[in-house]
Amino acid sequence: MNHEYFSYSQGLRMTNSAFDKLFGARPRKPESLVTQREMDLARSIQVITEEVMMKMVQHAHEETGLKKLCMAGGVALNCVANGRILREGPFEDLWIQPAAGDAGGAVGIALAIWHRYLGKERVSPEKAGTWQSQRSVSRNGLPLYTDGMKGSYLGPRDTSEEIERFLKERNLPYQKYSRAELPNVVADLLANEKVIGLHQGRMEFGPRALGGRSIIGDPRSAAMQSIMNLKIKYRESFRPFAPSVTREHAAEWFDMDYESPYMLLVADVLEQHRTRLKPEEQKLWGIEKLNVKRSEIPAVTHVDYSARIQTVRRETNPLYWDIIEAFRQKTGCPIIVNTSFNVRGEPIVCTPEDSYRCFMRTEMDYLVLENCVLDKRAQPKFEAGTDWRKEFSLD
């Protein structure tokens, strides 16, 4: 990169005035109209990024002759490029560190201390049983697959008793369900197009919510993307959401029979689930294309029929898998919408208090705190104090 045109290394902006001059205008202001110029710039940068990454991958393979590739660094969060590397690259297996940006350095530091300072033996993934080829012998109809990050659920967790104590101390009404009942209760709400804040298990490590601290919805709803953006996330309506799909059914809906536990791979929705565009819809251009229903799961389908996929295994996150499976049994669709449990400018929620505050400050319908379900309509009046839409800028 020619740093005459960029200022991120010494300032708060990605590009500088030289970049503005080269491309004939200053950067678009947040929440202003997106023009063809911004779309062209974004597309061009993406194409070049993919080209460079594909060349780097090819070179690494030629130099090493190895069959497995691990990726980290902020650019490894580029899901579209990662999908191309998986489909078109020379490696048999691909693994991407779930906190691939700067935060992932914590894993490297821990490993360095473990091996260099404490002198612990380095054990290969194959020997330790923490990496099984996705093309190895199947078990229960699925290829064997585990990794040392174990779903990236490495954060804190509140017990059901602690959550109930939190709710009772504040006199917050809730309905408690057994572990066996809960998946069907949540699936029923999803099938009725309710938006749910899901707080269960340990918090995720990394930038993606993976079913521990997630906002979930029905992907079949054509309005769900806009509703979740404008009424819950308070951001531009065009921003896409990801599908969480049970690993067993991923290949039935997407052009990908592979693990994507950390929501870091993009693949196309299969042809049989797409919606044929009308002649007048095919003539639309730019932002106008976003309002066109493109598949049976429009809330998670991009304009090019792709989707950023999270595959879910029961052994990694049993409750989340059971919720999706219960939704499949009710609707025939093994997919739900998944976005991070926060609003713009805020980190993902961590504690029950964080989750309740976000729930009440937005237009979510229900909140699930472990096995306690809260209905927004039954909650006491909440004094927000500030308007998040004015308090936090777009990320």
Side-chain angles (χ1 to χ4, degrees):
M1 296 178 70
N2 185 342
H3 281 261
E4 293 181 11
Y5 297 93
F6 301 92
S7 57
Y8 60 84
S9 60
Q10 71 272 8
L12 298 178
R13 270 189 58 193
M14 177 61 69
T15 58
N16 60 22
S17 57
F19 187 98
D20 301 342
K21 183 178 180 181
L22 180 65
F23 289 99
R26 291 187 59 78
R28 166 184 168 265
K29 293 181 179 180
E31 299 179 87
S32 64
L33 181 67
V34 177
T35 69
Q36 190 63 44
R37 174 181 176 274
E38 284 80 41
M39 288 186 280
D40 289 344
L41 278 171
R43 175 65 175 172
S44 298
I45 292 169
Q46 177 64 31
V47 168
I48 295 299
T49 301
E50 291 176 27
E51 182 180 310
V52 171
M53 291 177 71
M54 290 298 294
K55 288 181 178 179
M56 292 175 70
V57 166
Q58 188 65 44
H59 177 71
H61 184 262
E62 291 171 357
E63 287 290 310
T64 66
L66 297 176
K67 298 179 180 180
K68 300 172 182 178
L69 175 67
C70 287
M71 294 174 61
V75 179
L77 295 171
N78 191 312
C79 310
V80 177
N82 295 343
R84 279 197 63 193
I85 290 170
L86 176 63
R87 293 188 304 273
E88 304 170 29
F91 289 95
E92 292 182 8
D93 277 320
L94 173 64
W95 186 82
I96 305 158
Q97 214 274 82
D102 292 345
V107 175
I109 292 169
L111 287 170
I113 292 172
W114 184 251
H115 296 303
R116 294 181 183 178
Y117 293 93
L118 300 180
K120 302 296 184 180
E121 180 186 2
R122 291 178 182 268
V123 181
S124 69
E126 289 86 350
K127 185 177 178 181
T130 56
W131 184 328
Q132 297 285 348
S133 171
Q134 299 196 44
R135 292 167 175 80
S136 57
V137 179
S138 294
R139 178 185 61 194
N140 298 329
L142 286 177
L144 293 172
Y145 185 86
T146 55
D147 69 68
M149 298 293 289
K150 298 180 180 178
S152 198
Y153 304 107
L154 306 177
R157 177 178 191 170
D158 296 274
T159 65
S160 296
E161 293 74 20
E162 289 170 333
I163 287 173
E164 280 205 82
R165 191 180 311 126
F166 163 80
L167 295 172
K168 288 177 179 177
E169 286 175 353
R170 291 159 177 77
N171 294 316
L172 302 176
Y174 65 93
Q175 180 69 48
K176 185 177 180 180
Y177 295 94
S178 69
R179 172 61 177 80
E181 295 171 325
L182 188 61
N184 281 307
V185 170
V186 177
D188 277 335
L189 295 174
L190 291 171
N192 285 301
E193 296 193 29
K194 303 303 182 184
V195 179
I196 302 170
L198 179 63
H199 175 128
Q200 61 91 22
R202 298 180 69 172
M203 186 180 180
E204 303 88 342
F205 171 64
R208 308 279 190 244
L210 302 169
R213 304 292 186 272
S214 291
I215 300 172
I216 56 177
D218 186 346
R220 304 169 304 157
S221 169
M224 187 59 62
Q225 178 184 352
S226 179
I227 289 171
M228 292 178 81
N229 270 324
L230 296 176
K231 294 187 176 183
I232 286 86
K233 303 289 280 191
Y234 295 128
R235 65 186 191 182
E236 296 132 323
S237 62
F238 63 80
R239 296 208 182 191
F241 293 113
S244 291
V245 55
T246 50
R247 178 64 182 90
E248 293 85 341
H249 298 95
E252 298 171 8
W253 286 77
F254 304 101
D255 186 20
M256 186 187 78
D257 190 8
Y258 202 81
E259 305 291 333
S260 183
Y262 306 123
M263 204 186 289
L264 289 173
L265 293 172
V266 162
D268 289 343
V269 175
L270 291 177
E271 190 74 37
Q272 62 262 36
H273 297 294
R274 298 182 187 181
T275 301
R276 186 180 297 277
L277 298 185
K278 301 173 183 176
E280 58 271 23
E281 292 173 334
Q282 295 175 358
K283 297 177 182 178
L284 297 175
W285 191 255
I287 295 297
E288 294 176 334
K289 298 168 69 174
L290 293 171
N291 297 322
V292 176
K293 182 179 178 180
R294 297 181 172 275
S295 75
E296 296 171 35
I297 44 173
V300 295
T301 304
H302 303 156
V303 292
D304 61 354
Y305 297 103
S306 67
R308 185 183 66 182
I309 300 163
Q310 178 201 2
T311 54
V312 182
R313 282 181 176 257
R314 195 175 195 279
E315 56 265 38
T316 304
N317 193 335
L319 178 58
Y320 196 44
W321 187 95
D322 286 347
I323 288 171
I324 302 172
E325 173 61 14
F327 184 74
R328 183 191 71 83
Q329 292 181 11
K330 292 178 185 299
T331 66
C333 179
I335 302 163
I336 61 174
V337 180
N338 177 15
T339 188
S340 58
F341 197 156
N342 66 334
V343 295
R344 73 188 200 193
E346 278 278 273
I348 298 175
V349 297
C350 177
T351 67
E353 186 174 2
D354 294 338
S355 297
Y356 186 78
R357 183 175 61 250
C358 187
F359 169 59
M360 293 303 295
R361 279 178 154 180
T362 63
E363 297 181 51
M364 272 181 268
D365 300 302
Y366 288 85
L367 171 63
V368 177
L369 295 172
E370 290 295 343
N371 56 344
C372 297
V373 179
L374 287 73
D375 185 336
K376 172 68 70 61
R377 298 167 299 182
Q379 301 308 305
K381 185 177 180 181
F382 183 79
E383 298 295 338
T386 58
D387 185 345
W388 280 17
R389 287 162 289 190
K390 297 177 180 178
E391 186 177 352
F392 300 113
S393 60
L394 279 168
D395 50 15

